[in-house]
Amino acid sequence: MLTVRAPATSANLGSGFDVFGVALDRPADVVRVEKADETTIEVTGIGSTYIPTDPEGNTVGAVAEALDAPAHIRIDKGVRPSSGLGSSAASAAAAALALNELYDRGLTKEELVPIAAEGEAVVSGEPHADNVAPSLLGGFTIAAGGDITTVDAAIPLVACLPEIAVSTRDARRVVPSTAEMTDLVDTVGRAATLTVGMCRSDPALVGEGMSDEIVTPARASLISGYGQVRTAAFDAGATGVTVSGAGPSIIAACYESDRRAVAGAMVDAFSDVGVDARAYQTEIGRGAELLG
Ligand code: HSE
């Protein structure tokens, strides 16, 4: 039996839709695998009752199929499904690393990224690597043209998860199919600023780059209280605030000295609009790891 921990992630970061992602140092999924004649899946933990155990409808079933690695797979969910924190990606990344080891497939973590992305497609409708890449590799990742670039950055973050569910499929339907040139120019500038900020581990530059006028405004309408929470986070010292992945979580970058205040302000602002929420005071973390 093998056990792997794979972290939650935050994709997009405003200006990098389907491209940028960061691994969070918490929460995480833990996946245990044991060789079997056919794949069976058991799920426990946060939101487990909403996750199908049929291998054809589960992200890890697709990974087992792709690696030709049938197993009894136990997923302990630490990352709530439909949270915008890469829940299905964490399970897919953990299963990919665990099954690769269990069956001695010899693939590198980089080579496992497209396999885990296929697993992601089961729940989101299309394969995209901006969550599975950081969950496997850690750090800040750029998924572009089939290649993944990673930067080992240190940025304090707050991921605020409200008691609202937003499915990735629904959140992808509201993304506009065209954009104004002025918005594209702004987004490219912000994406470049954010990337330099990550290279320098500079929360001010990262925060400046964490916004866009194309995808985020369309998705903000799916999150009750988004505007109030964003304003409260900035007032408490956040350097940047945006929707995490497909939502409903909201991610804020900040200096470490402000992290606790930012977390409290975001939870309070959700509460003011009648939504319960919890905040993870976190930072950019490591990728998936074998626990034993
Ligand atoms: N880039 C993806 C999206 C992440 O925003 O739809 C969620 O899976």
Side-chain angles (χ1 to χ4, degrees):
M1 189 196 290
L2 285 176
T3 305
V4 167
R5 174 192 186 274
T9 49
S10 182
N12 304 334
L13 302 174
S15 55
F17 177 65
D18 277 358
V19 174
F20 291 163
V22 284
L24 306 180
D25 78 333
R26 70 194 189 99
D29 278 4
V30 173
V31 168
R32 292 182 179 80
V33 294
E34 221 174 333
K35 280 188 182 174
D37 292 337
E38 60 182 45
T39 296
T40 53
I41 298 168
E42 207 180 309
V43 192
T44 57
I46 302 171
S48 54
T49 50
Y50 300 102
I51 299 176
T53 51
D54 165 16
E56 289 192 4
N58 189 301
T59 182
V60 305
V63 172
E65 172 93 23
L67 285 169
D68 189 20
H72 178 56
I73 304 173
R74 274 188 275 170
I75 308 169
D76 186 14
K77 295 297 301 173
V79 189
R80 199 199 80 183
S82 298
S83 60
L85 297 175
S87 178
S88 54
S91 295
L97 186 62
L99 294 170
N100 181 54
E101 289 289 325
L102 187 71
Y103 277 88
D104 213 7
R105 295 286 181 251
L107 300 178
T108 63
K109 279 185 171 182
E110 286 76 7
E111 288 168 335
L112 291 172
V113 168
I115 289 168
E118 284 301 328
E120 262 270 76
V122 172
V123 288
S124 69
E126 49 192 321
H128 45 87
D130 53 343
N131 285 113
V132 290
S135 192
L136 273 163
L137 305 171
F140 166 62
T141 60
I142 302 170
D147 292 325
I148 310 290
T149 306
T150 60
V151 175
D152 217 3
I155 300 287
L157 299 167
V158 175
C160 187
L161 169 61
E163 288 294 325
I164 303 170
V166 172
S167 88
T168 302
R169 279 177 200 262
D170 291 345
R172 290 184 85 79
R173 279 193 201 110
V174 302
V175 174
S177 52
T178 59
E180 292 293 329
M181 180 56 83
T182 48
D183 290 337
L184 287 172
V185 170
D186 177 71
T187 301
V188 170
R190 288 185 185 275
T193 304
L194 185 144
T195 303
V196 173
M198 290 291 184
C199 293
R200 295 183 187 167
S201 289
D202 179 337
L205 280 184
V206 167
E208 204 178 315
M210 266 173 71
S211 77
D212 77 294
E213 293 301 324
I214 303 168
V215 179
T216 306
R219 285 179 162 180
S221 60
L222 302 175
I223 305 169
S224 307
Y226 177 77
Q228 293 92 324
V229 173
R230 187 170 183 274
T231 302
F234 277 123
D235 288 349
T239 57
V241 185
T242 192
V243 175
S244 178
S249 287
I250 300 178
I251 185 95
C254 57
Y255 288 94
E256 198 167 339
S257 53
D258 294 323
R259 186 165 46 188
R260 182 188 290 262
V262 170
M266 293 172 85
V267 170
D268 288 349
F270 266 125
S271 171
D272 288 346
V273 296
V275 176
D276 287 336
R278 65 170 298 180
Y280 296 98
Q281 293 181 48
T282 181
E283 60 195 321
I284 297 179
R286 292 194 301 268
E289 45 198 358
L290 199 58
L291 299 181

